[in-house]
Amino acid sequence: MSGSSNLVAMKKIVQQLRFEASINRVKVSQAAADLQQFCMQNALQDPLLTGVSSSTNPFRPQKVCSFL
Amino acid sequence: MATQEVQPNETLTNLKAESDTLKTKLEDERAKLHDVELHQVAEKVDGLGQFIMKTRRTLKGHGNKVLCMDWCKDKRRIVSSSQDGKVIVWDAFTTNKEHAVTMPCTWVMACAYAPSGCAVACGGLDNKCSVYPLSLDKNENLAAKKKSVAMHTNYLSACSFTNSDMQILTSSGDGTCALWDVESGQLLQSFHGHASDVLCLDLAPSETGNTFVSGGCDKKANVWDMRSGQCIQSFETHESDINSVRYYPSGDAFASGSDDATCRLYDLRADREVAIYSKESIIFGASSVDFSLSGRLLFGGYNDYTINVWDVLKGTRVSILFGHENRVSTLRLSPDGTAFCSGSWDHTLRIWA
């Protein structure tokens, strides 16, 4: 009966919503501070922020070769 | 009987009412914790200096739109797939093609490199995800060793190996995601919850546990528990299809790119959107996003042929990269973070550094 399958679907939706509503959340100020801290802590290890010299970055142009 | 007919309808009404109450409660709970914006917290952070990146390599060889690409862990090989049905493995340093496979279908929308570097997975309009072991013998016919792993009932939109060559996660136009055992082809877990096509997925960084995020045409981004198959968190703030999702390097957040021309950052612990990356001048959809290693930069490939680089903390655009001559369809940072690769409908891939 289409009525009972709607019921089953609706029960699943309500169950899912109950689950989602019950999770623990932190304040955005806390979460944002943590995101920022991660960036700052890892900034020196981020080659695109620190810049990588030609000798260590295989994609940057190499020294020009001269033909003998 | 009259009483029996009334019962199911009543329960349905009650459930509908409860569902509406819960949805409102969810919104309220999330709003209560919204005490500040990310860019406000980041005001004291130094701004980024001038940011210059250029195309360092152009990989030419596909006969049609490049739809997807992935890096090998060796930081130099790349696999790419195209509308022309071809999957190519490149050496990005030399731009040489190392392997090429012709798929039995066009629109190969997904491809992925195995963690070992010894195989690639791909699929698209064939509704499957197949794994090809890469042979050291260039003359060997790769198609002969092909292994069909995943079967969906609609197109394959994305695929990714998990931490090993043994399992693959897939997403599909059939609205589901699925986890498969590569060796046996067995379905290990399926993930139901999207209301229409799932377009993208990304696995959480291994330190943060067994979860992944998916985005779809229903404008939702869902976070899933890989073991139980349950949707743990769901975010619906985009105004159109979500084309790309990518975890922030710490695993506590993820970014999304959408046809609504915005990229957004969602924090998993605050359980809400915490930043929008948009400009009035950007009106074309974002097709793919990725973070730099520290998570400070967000690269977005757009349908207006450009790549916008965003300061994740401050919410401002740092740079705009031109070069592609058609839509940017795919974009990934290299494993060591020194470069990124973009693929485009202009048939080429570009390495930027």
Side-chain angles (χ1 to χ4, degrees):
Chain A
M1 225 187 90
S2 65
S4 58
S5 68
N6 275 347
L7 203 59
V8 168
M10 208 56 214
K11 272 190 182 158
K12 274 194 188 157
I13 293 176
V14 169
Q15 258 170 3
Q16 180 64 27
L17 283 170
R18 275 188 201 147
F19 175 82
E20 285 180 28
S22 68
I23 70 171
N24 289 326
R25 296 177 185 84
V26 309
K27 283 190 181 170
V28 175
S29 50
Q30 177 64 53
D34 290 346
L35 289 175
Q36 183 178 310
Q37 189 183 38
F38 185 87
C39 275
M40 300 293 105
Q41 275 172 348
N42 291 283
L44 290 176
Q45 278 83 50
D46 188 338
L48 294 175
L49 285 183
T50 59
V52 184
S53 67
S54 308
S55 48
T56 43
N57 186 339
F59 291 112
R60 288 266 165 113
Q62 301 294 317
K63 291 203 177 83
V64 176
C65 297
S66 52
F67 290 98
L68 295 171
Chain B
M1 294 287 297
T3 40
Q4 275 173 352
E5 273 173 35
V6 168
Q7 284 261 350
N9 285 342
E10 260 189 276
T11 322
L12 199 62
T13 320
N14 289 346
L15 284 175
K16 183 79 176 56
E18 189 178 355
S19 140
D20 289 338
T21 314
L22 283 168
K23 279 187 192 161
T24 314
K25 182 180 174 196
L26 253 175
E27 278 171 30
D28 289 345
E29 292 294 317
R30 284 172 171 170
K32 266 189 222 171
L33 299 163
H34 188 200
D35 53 347
V36 77
E37 298 290 340
L38 173 59
H39 64 84
Q40 288 172 304
V41 168
E43 258 164 22
K44 301 212 179 81
V45 173
D46 284 341
L48 295 168
Q50 218 197 0
F51 194 76
I52 300 175
M53 281 183 92
K54 294 186 186 165
T55 300
R56 304 292 175 178
R57 300 284 191 283
T58 304
L59 306 180
K60 294 186 188 179
H62 276 297
N64 212 320
K65 310 177 173 66
V66 175
L67 301 175
C68 188
M69 59 81 41
D70 192 17
W71 287 88
C72 176
K73 286 212 161 101
D74 71 1
K75 308 166 235 177
R76 72 184 277 170
R77 284 178 180 75
I78 283 179
V79 63
S80 62
S81 65
S82 163
Q83 184 191 340
D84 68 359
K86 290 222 172 32
V87 174
I88 300 179
V89 175
W90 313 77
D91 176 336
F93 289 179
T94 61
T95 74
N96 287 341
K97 300 178 202 31
E98 296 200 337
H99 302 275
V101 176
T102 305
M103 293 280 285
C105 65
T106 57
W107 287 91
V108 188
M109 299 174 221
C111 62
Y113 229 114
S116 67
C118 299
V120 293
C122 52
L125 285 187
D126 57 352
N127 299 359
K128 295 191 220 173
C129 184
S130 307
V131 175
Y132 292 84
L134 294 175
S135 164
L136 289 172
D137 177 1
K138 305 275 162 79
N139 294 325
E140 190 172 354
N141 181 7
L142 288 185
K145 294 238 171 97
K146 163 180 165 173
K147 188 192 274 272
S148 275
V149 174
M151 289 282 302
H152 279 279
T153 53
N154 209 324
Y155 65 89
L156 187 82
S157 54
C159 62
S160 174
F161 284 87
T162 59
N163 294 331
S164 75
D165 286 19
M166 300 286 86
Q167 291 180 355
I168 285 189
L169 192 59
T170 58
S171 64
S172 167
D174 66 13
T176 71
C177 298
L179 182 66
W180 309 83
D181 177 88
V182 173
E183 193 56 45
S184 63
Q186 197 191 351
L187 174 67
L188 298 171
Q189 185 62 262
S190 68
F191 306 88
H192 297 261
H194 278 288
S196 63
D197 306 25
V198 186
L199 299 179
C200 51
L201 60 85
D202 191 38
L203 276 149
S206 38
E207 309 79 51
T208 45
N210 288 335
T211 60
F212 73 95
V213 60
S214 64
C217 289
D218 58 358
K219 312 176 206 167
K220 281 203 206 163
N222 289 338
V223 180
W224 307 87
D225 179 317
M226 277 169 68
R227 275 180 278 227
S228 66
Q230 174 157 37
C231 173
I232 324 175
Q233 285 171 276
S234 185
F235 304 89
E236 194 175 357
T237 61
H238 271 295
E239 294 166 18
S240 185
D241 302 1
I242 298 180
N243 299 312
S244 174
V245 284
R246 191 76 74 220
Y247 269 93
Y248 187 75
S250 72
D252 288 333
F254 69 90
S256 57
S258 163
D259 276 350
D260 67 8
T262 71
C263 296
R264 296 177 196 233
L265 186 69
Y266 297 90
D267 188 287
L268 295 173
R269 297 175 320 136
D271 187 38
R272 61 170 296 127
E273 173 193 295
V274 293
I276 306 185
Y277 307 98
S278 67
K279 276 178 110 63
E280 273 187 31
S281 54
I282 301 177
I283 56 174
F284 284 83
S287 63
S288 53
V289 294
D290 204 355
F291 287 99
S292 69
L293 277 190
S294 65
R296 182 69 191 271
L297 299 169
L298 179 68
F299 298 95
Y302 289 73
N303 293 342
D304 63 2
Y305 315 176
T306 68
I307 295 167
N308 287 301
V309 187
W310 302 90
D311 180 328
V312 169
L313 299 179
K314 292 191 180 281
T316 52
R317 181 171 65 185
V318 166
S319 186
I320 178 169
L321 305 176
F322 299 97
H324 278 297
E325 295 166 14
N326 206 319
R327 289 193 189 191
V328 178
S329 54
T330 178
L331 187 158
R332 296 292 294 247
L333 190 78
S334 72
D336 61 357
T338 56
F340 73 87
C341 178
S342 60
S344 163
W345 281 18
D346 69 7
H347 309 188
T348 71
L349 293 116
R350 283 171 183 250
I351 313 283
W352 306 78

